[in-house]
Amino acid sequence: MTEVLVREVESEIIGWLDMDVWVDPDASKLSSDRQDRGIPIGSLGAIREVERTHMQLVWEISEDAFARYVVHCCARYHNVVSFSKSHITGVMLVT
């Protein structure tokens, strides 16, 4: 499980870092679909993507401290600043 989680988180972070830089004025506006459920990251279901722009990646991690730790470690390894904050629906992780 740990290897799968690390591989999936790292893959998403690398994909985000390699994303072409573009500016979309509507990118920060969340659709109600994405706001309510988010997009699942990986196969374990512990992480959901809430927002993705060229400047930030916002994930929701509910009640899984280990998954949050893995995300922070992968972010740090790739020199991405990350932090967590409490949110009504769980923990929001912003990179």
Side-chain angles (χ1 to χ4, degrees), residues 32-40 48-50 60:
S32 60
D33 200 35
R34 190 176 268 201
Q35 229 174 9
D36 293 340
R37 292 182 298 257
I39 298 171
R48 295 186 153 307
E49 182 178 302
V50 177
E60 180 179 4

Side-chain angles (χ1 to χ4, degrees), residues 7 11 17 20 26 29 64 69-70 76 89 93-94:
R7 194 173 25 247
S11 173
L17 288 170
D20 289 336
D26 296 325
K29 296 177 184 170
D64 193 338
Y69 174 75
V70 167
R76 174 166 237 163
T89 59
L93 182 87
V94 180

Side-chain angles (χ1 to χ4, degrees), residues 8-84:
E8 291 174 347
V9 166
E10 188 168 37
S11 173
E12 287 293 326
I13 290 174
I14 290 171
W16 174 68
L17 288 170
D18 289 341
M19 184 170 91
D20 289 336
V21 176
W22 49 270
V23 177
D24 180 359
D26 296 325
S28 63
K29 296 177 184 170
L30 299 177
S31 69
S32 60
D33 200 35
R34 190 176 268 201
Q35 229 174 9
D36 293 340
R37 292 182 298 257
I39 298 171
I41 300 296
S43 60
L44 300 175
I47 304 169
R48 295 186 153 307
E49 182 178 302
V50 177
E51 183 176 0
R52 178 185 292 231
T53 67
H54 68 285
M55 293 296 291
Q56 71 178 359
L57 184 59
V58 181
W59 288 348
E60 180 179 4
I61 305 169
S62 301
E63 305 299 322
D64 193 338
F66 183 70
R68 189 168 53 253
Y69 174 75
V70 167
V71 171
H72 282 300
C73 288
C74 286
R76 174 166 237 163
Y77 180 81
H78 290 285
N79 295 318
V80 173
V81 176
S82 66
F83 65 91
S84 295

